[in-house]
Amino acid sequence: MKRILITGGGGFLGSALCEKLLKAGNEVICVDNFFTGSKRNIYPLLDDPRFELIRHDVTFPLYIECDEIYNLACPASPIHYQRDPVQTVKTCVHGAINMLGLAKRLRAKILQASTSEVYGDPAVHPQVESYWGNVNPIGIRSCYDEGKRCAETLFSCYNMQCGLPVKIVRIFNTYGPNMHPHDGRVVSNFILQALQNKDITLYGDGSQTRSFCYRDDLLEGLVRMMATSDDVTGPVNLGMPQEFTIRELAELTIKLTNSNSRIIYCDLPSDDPKQRKPDISLARKLLDWEPVTPLEAGLQKTIEYFDGLLKSDPDFCLS
Ligand code: NAD
Ligand code: UDP
Ligand code: UDP
């Protein structure tokens, strides 16, 4: 049994990771300031004597004891990370420094949840880890993209300078049950709109592409990465190697929900990447990992989740 710290443990991915690691027999410490996370996500875990919740902002130092750290704290949806861009940079950078300092004191393994956003609007397709990216340093997405790039730099420096066992994974768009209804990312937006027969808000002409990975597949990738030997530091891409246009996603969501929604075209936000698809050869080789849930099956499960939530707690969904 290990004692594992998960920062951002109240969020969409973090809460499911807390549950997975508890089920595997570990002690889990969840640290979150609930900027985008929700206590609802971890209510079911609070009675478990091996689970502990600490309300804390990772931009401030944290002195606790643990064996492993998953650093997931950071708003991931553009509407949320753009709400307070300075805080987003601080969370990425100061948060990384504090968690790396903690890991250094404890000689603990530490994994960074980096992102496909480090590739920006990519000129290389599909994206391979050796590609350095095409990122606007001063645009509306920069607080997140550059914050995450700097965090990768910090992780590499602590590895090179202090020999700290670090793991960097670059996560591509991931979706699934327990996404917050106000998350604002495309999958939850489209499903909630479709289930209520509201207009589907397609940004731009919908020809931009993304690759959508189901939550449980992604979590398995995180755990396998943490289990690698100390010489494996990454970065390693984790995501679905199939690519869809956002218009295809809208049409599929309408079909799977039997919805009467119509698609409306809205302005494309600036710096919105035109294409995104991971090359996961490295994850296949190092982790023997690839996603096993096809988009349609994962969407069905996510639709069932939001359908249930709309019926059981419409105020939470609509307020
Ligand atoms: P999320 O917004 O649901 O979760 C992030 C969690 O971090 C929330 O619970 C939030 O309250 C917490 N948090 C934010 N700032 C904090 C701070 N300063 N101190 C403590 N807690 C803080 O997002 P998610 O989808 O679960 O993403 C988790 C991580 O994975 C993020 O680091 C994100 O960048 C990364 N990621 C996610 C995706 C994806 O598609 N889901 C893709 C790439 C990278
Ligand atoms: N830190 C922390 N918890 C610890 C150890 C360190 O939060 O258990 C923070 C501390 O605030 C410090 C940062 O991590 O600013 C970086 O620590 P490091 O030891 O690398 O650098 P230094 O203390 O020399 O600045
Ligand atoms: N998008 C959309 N409608 C929405 C939300 C997002 O068309 O209601 C588009 C967005 O412009 C982007 C893609 O869907 O091209 C994925 O957006 P998301 O915010 O989920 O993630 P990211 O842009 O960070 O990949």
Side-chain angles (χ1 to χ4, degrees):
M1 184 171 75
K2 288 183 204 131
R3 186 183 293 162
I4 303 177
L5 166 62
I6 303 175
T7 75
F12 159 55
L13 291 178
S15 56
L17 183 62
C18 288
E19 198 182 338
K20 184 177 172 77
L21 293 173
L22 281 172
K23 274 198 186 130
N26 300 290
E27 275 184 32
V28 170
I29 305 172
C30 164
V31 163
D32 205 295
N33 69 349
F34 296 108
F35 181 68
T36 50
S38 164
K39 275 183 237 158
R40 288 172 73 106
N41 286 339
I42 44 174
Y43 275 152
L45 310 179
L46 289 174
D47 286 338
D48 191 323
R50 286 180 291 111
F51 181 76
E52 202 177 333
L53 169 65
I54 304 176
R55 188 186 186 105
H56 175 81
D57 182 330
V58 293
T59 63
F60 296 98
L62 177 68
Y63 287 82
I64 57 169
E65 315 306 315
C66 63
D67 306 306
E68 288 179 353
I69 304 170
Y70 288 82
N71 188 36
L72 270 60
C74 186
S77 167
I79 58 162
H80 293 299
Y81 68 63
Q82 288 164 15
R83 196 162 78 210
D84 188 346
V86 173
Q87 172 67 10
T88 300
V89 179
K90 286 183 184 169
T91 294
C92 290
V93 177
H94 293 203
I97 292 173
N98 287 327
M99 292 310 106
L100 286 160
L102 175 66
K104 189 178 102 182
R105 178 174 61 80
L106 301 170
R107 299 307 300 173
K109 271 200 222 179
I110 179 166
L111 178 142
Q112 167 67 357
S114 190
T115 167
S116 54
E117 296 287 333
V118 301
Y119 299 119
D121 191 9
V124 169
H125 195 69
Q127 290 77 58
V128 64
E129 289 86 350
S130 54
Y131 174 50
W132 290 351
N134 176 32
V135 176
N136 177 357
I138 54 166
I140 57 169
R141 296 175 82 100
S142 312
C143 56
Y144 184 76
D145 299 10
E146 295 289 17
K148 288 283 188 177
R149 284 169 70 92
C150 184
E152 284 199 10
T153 307
L154 284 160
F155 271 68
S156 311
C157 292
Y158 271 77
N159 175 256
M160 287 187 282
Q161 196 174 324
C162 318
L164 190 67
V166 307
K167 314 272 167 200
I168 301 170
V169 292
R170 292 181 177 156
I171 303 172
F172 286 64
N173 299 60
T174 301
Y175 68 97
N178 274 24
M179 291 186 88
H180 198 289
H182 304 155
D183 181 277
R185 279 175 282 183
V186 67
V187 173
S188 45
N189 273 9
F190 283 3
I191 290 177
L192 278 167
Q193 290 161 345
L195 285 171
Q196 299 170 86
N197 295 311
K198 290 184 176 166
D199 291 343
I200 303 277
T201 53
L202 189 64
Y203 302 163
D205 63 6
S207 63
Q208 69 273 32
T209 68
R210 295 292 187 274
S211 305
F212 298 100
C213 184
Y214 187 63
R215 178 196 67 187
D216 297 358
D217 291 339
L218 191 278
L219 296 180
E220 183 57 29
L222 296 186
V223 171
R224 288 191 192 196
M225 182 66 178
M226 186 62 106
T228 54
S229 54
D230 288 358
D231 58 318
V232 178
T233 57
V236 175
N237 288 337
L238 292 180
M240 185 67 149
Q242 279 94 42
E243 178 183 27
F244 292 84
T245 67
I246 300 302
R247 196 176 327 107
E248 284 170 336
L249 178 74
E251 286 162 358
L252 183 58
T253 307
I254 290 172
K255 188 184 106 186
L256 295 178
T257 49
N258 286 320
S259 174
N260 297 322
S261 292
R262 60 191 186 110
I263 294 174
I264 57 159
Y265 292 86
C266 312
D267 290 343
L268 185 70
S270 63
D271 294 337
D272 199 287
K274 287 186 262 318
Q275 54 182 2
R276 200 180 286 147
K277 175 168 87 158
D279 180 321
I280 60 163
S281 313
L282 196 58
R284 283 195 176 106
K285 186 171 134 215
L286 292 177
L287 314 178
D288 189 23
W289 176 90
E290 65 182 352
V292 293
T293 313
L295 179 60
E296 200 163 318
L299 279 182
Q300 283 287 15
K301 290 187 193 177
T302 314
I303 289 165
E304 277 163 31
Y305 167 75
F306 278 115
D307 193 35
L309 196 64
L310 271 168
K311 286 175 182 141
S312 64
D313 198 346
D315 290 348
F316 177 55
C317 292
L318 306 175
S319 60

